[in-house]
Amino acid sequence: TDLETAVDGISSVMNAYGEDVVSATEASDLMFTAVRLGKTDFSQLSAGLFQVVPAAAAMGIGFGDVTAALATLTAQGVPTRVATTQMRGALVELGKDGSKAATAFESIAGQTFPDFIAAGGDVAGAVRILGTAAEEGGTSIMNLFGSIEGGQAIQALASDIEGFEANVVAMGDSTGATEAAFEQMNQGLSASMDKIKANAEVLMIQIGSKLAPVVAKAMDWIVLHFDDFKAAGKKAFELVKKKFDDLKPTIKTIR
């Protein structure tokens, strides 16, 4: 991705969590891990994270939980922009007092969702609790939510709860993902051609900087002696014209 897009996505995360919680490197590593595990790319993540990270950060949900969820959802074919919107809907409803999902979670878990998170729980654990309760009750998780988008997100995560939990673990091992991604991008013919092009441009700049003083002196000398060049040119033209005029009778005789 381009630098502006990357910075936009990473800054969205850092502004929501604070750099004392998530550094730029950590945010980048987690995002690249989500790209590797899901069906998304850095540009799509950067464009959609503003939808979900403020709500997640406000409830104390780690950014790794967010990227694990997005990787799981996009791997199932959910577009990134839809996945971020769905996750925001789910988290907002679970954290809102009196909402259908919040009431259901508290009834099942014996504590509110924010208290569950504060006590060390994570989103995957909450999804497993809701999924188990829905299955035992012979209903759909969708019925536990008032928000269709939120219910769709949790339903999709519950359908692949083991994959979601594995992605959470992978996020914990995401250190170095940015560097690994760079090394991958730095391979192949295209990267080699880019390096050659960049080196050639640098070489031309270096050559130009060294030739510039010489060229400048030469131009100064030409300007200084321009009248002499002009006079010499005029004289040369007159000599050539005279020679041609002298040859005219000979040329006419040959014809």
Side-chain angles (χ1 to χ4, degrees):
T1 187
D2 60 88
L3 182 61
E4 183 178 357
T5 302
V7 170
D8 184 54
I10 293 171
S11 62
S12 293
V13 177
M14 295 182 67
N15 287 340
Y17 283 94
E19 60 181 319
D20 56 327
V21 177
V22 179
S23 70
T25 300
E26 290 169 336
S28 181
D29 285 344
L30 288 167
M31 290 171 70
F32 270 116
T33 302
V35 170
R36 178 173 61 84
L37 297 175
K39 290 182 181 177
T40 185
D41 58 41
F42 211 92
S43 296
Q44 293 180 71
L45 280 177
S46 291
L49 282 174
F50 77 95
Q51 293 275 9
V52 63
V53 289
M59 282 185 270
I61 296 170
F63 184 52
D65 275 15
V66 175
T67 50
L70 294 178
T72 306
L73 291 173
T74 58
Q76 294 180 25
V78 181
T80 307
R81 58 181 178 80
V82 176
T84 54
T85 302
Q86 289 181 346
M87 281 303 301
R88 178 185 180 280
L91 296 180
V92 168
E93 186 171 354
L94 283 167
K96 185 178 181 181
D97 288 340
S99 70
K100 189 174 181 179
T103 301
F105 185 87
E106 185 173 3
S107 175
I108 295 167
Q111 59 183 333
T112 65
F113 178 71
D115 287 343
F116 173 77
I117 295 297
D122 58 17
V123 177
V127 170
R128 183 173 282 280
I129 289 172
L130 291 171
T132 300
E135 184 177 355
E136 292 176 350
T139 187
S140 168
I141 287 180
M142 293 286 294
N143 294 327
L144 303 178
F145 281 78
S147 161
I148 294 176
E149 291 178 337
Q152 287 175 332
I154 302 303
Q155 179 70 51
L157 292 173
S159 69
D160 185 22
I161 186 61
E162 292 182 356
F164 182 20
E165 290 172 338
N167 286 343
V168 171
V169 173
M171 294 301 163
D173 297 326
S174 65
T175 303
T178 302
E179 184 177 356
F182 174 77
E183 290 176 354
Q184 179 67 29
M185 292 164 61
N186 206 31
Q187 296 175 0
L189 180 61
S190 177
S192 297
M193 291 303 294
D194 288 341
K195 287 180 181 178
I196 292 172
K197 181 180 177 181
N199 287 332
E201 290 176 352
V202 171
L203 180 61
M204 292 303 295
I205 291 172
Q206 291 175 338
I207 291 174
S209 64
K210 291 186 177 182
L211 285 179
V214 177
V215 173
K217 287 182 179 179
M219 291 301 296
D220 290 342
W221 186 85
I222 291 173
V223 170
L224 182 65
H225 296 86
F226 184 75
D227 290 339
D228 295 337
F229 278 111
K230 188 175 179 181
K234 184 177 180 182
K235 185 176 181 180
F237 175 77
E238 291 174 350
L239 288 174
V240 171
K241 185 176 182 301
K242 182 176 183 307
K243 191 66 175 176
F244 182 74
D245 291 340
D246 293 342
L247 289 174
K248 275 185 179 180
T250 304
I251 294 172
K252 188 174 181 181
T253 299
I254 293 174
R255 286 180 175 175

